[in-house]
Amino acid sequence: MDIGNKVAIVTGGGSGLGEATAIRLAEGGARVAVVDLNADAANAVAEKIGGKAFAIDIADAQAGEKAVAQIVAELGTPRILVNCAGVGTPMKILGKDGPLALSAFEKVVRINLIGTFNMLRLVADAIARDQEPGDGKQTQGVIINTASVAAFDGQIGQPAYSSSKAGVVGLALPAARELARYGIRVLTIAPGIFLTPMLKILPDEALEALGRSVPFPPRLGEPEEFAKLALHMIDNDMLNGEVVRIDGSIRMAAK
């Protein structure tokens, strides 16, 4: 699918993987809605790329419905959704003070999995209601969700994060199968260790050690490399229902 003049929504678009993807989409001629919980970050990216900013909690049903309706009214029907919003708070099942608070586990799953599904359902509905004419073989829309290698190689301290990302992985195929009748393709990217704001707070020595743990190339991934994969997925009509790891062949150790 050609992204030129298409409306694209990027969640988590205020920084990291989402920001890089929003920039690449805009460079390709898409009209980009930058969605992020951080209003300042969303506005900064939207201003840089000539897009529109929407500051919402993606796991809030009403906020999501309102934002998508506003995007349709102001920009047009979204044909592209890239879900990058997520959190990766470390936590153990059993800590010094006892078992992990259920609310802490629930918060991560709410943002990473429920938030992803919320935006998927709303954008899919908008596309299904506004079908472009064709012979039924053209892509009407592409939805790309972001999982993680933690969905497969979950480490100690990642019970909530790994569970939520495994849920995103499990969503890909049933969503792709159901939405095929509307010409909507659904894909998932599972990144390894990428240089995002969550990692930039670490000392340089720690970042270098993390990079060396990647078999090849022995470095951290760059957000632009994630964005390049997302744009290829949008362009290649035969990619559907698939989860693609982009990780330098790393397999995470237990801790």
Side-chain angles (χ1 to χ4, degrees):
M1 187 176 73
D2 182 6
I3 66 174
N5 208 36
K6 295 291 194 303
V7 177
I9 299 174
V10 182
T11 71
S15 64
L17 305 179
E19 179 182 5
T21 303
I23 291 171
R24 295 280 297 203
L25 285 165
E27 289 173 347
R31 290 171 285 158
V32 183
V34 181
V35 175
D36 202 289
L37 186 62
N38 185 322
D40 291 339
N43 283 317
V45 173
E47 184 176 352
K48 179 163 59 175
I49 65 174
K52 282 187 172 289
F54 297 84
I56 65 164
D57 172 1
I58 62 166
D60 183 308
Q62 291 185 339
E65 290 166 9
K66 183 178 178 180
V68 172
Q70 189 176 349
I71 289 166
V72 171
E74 295 182 11
L75 298 177
T77 300
R79 299 290 168 183
I80 299 163
L81 168 65
V82 185
N83 271 316
C84 294
V87 295
T89 310
M91 55 187 75
K92 289 187 176 182
I93 298 169
L94 299 179
K96 295 179 180 178
D97 300 321
L100 174 66
L102 187 59
S103 59
F105 184 92
E106 184 179 27
K107 180 180 178 180
V108 174
V109 173
R110 179 178 181 274
I111 296 169
N112 293 356
L113 179 55
I114 295 176
T116 291
F117 179 76
N118 186 37
M119 296 303 293
L120 177 147
R121 73 182 181 97
L122 296 172
V123 172
D125 180 64
I127 298 169
R129 291 174 181 273
D130 184 19
Q131 294 281 287
E132 293 182 331
D135 61 4
K137 296 180 181 178
Q138 280 76 36
T139 296
Q140 294 285 331
V142 181
I143 296 172
I144 300 173
N145 298 322
T146 302
S148 166
V149 296
F152 313 99
D153 312 330
Q155 297 182 292
I156 293 171
Q158 292 184 322
Y161 185 69
S162 295
S163 297
S164 65
K165 293 301 187 179
V168 174
V169 167
L171 178 61
L173 188 57
R177 285 172 162 171
E178 178 181 342
L179 300 179
R181 62 181 294 193
Y182 303 107
I184 301 170
R185 294 188 286 115
V186 181
L187 292 145
T188 299
I189 299 176
I193 309 174
F194 273 67
L195 189 58
T196 62
M198 282 191 291
L199 282 187
K200 286 180 179 179
I201 63 173
L202 297 176
D204 289 342
E205 298 79 10
L207 292 176
E208 290 174 6
L210 284 172
R212 288 194 300 270
S213 71
V214 181
F216 192 84
R219 60 170 174 80
L220 300 177
E222 293 290 344
E224 291 75 17
E225 293 171 311
F226 174 97
K228 286 167 65 177
L229 176 56
L231 264 70
H232 176 73
M233 287 178 159
I234 294 166
D235 180 65
N236 193 326
D237 282 344
M238 278 305 289
L239 281 171
N240 192 16
E242 188 57 83
V243 179
V244 179
R245 291 179 67 133
I246 178 169
D247 59 16
S249 79
I250 195 170
R251 297 298 181 268
M252 305 298 289
K255 59 181 178 179

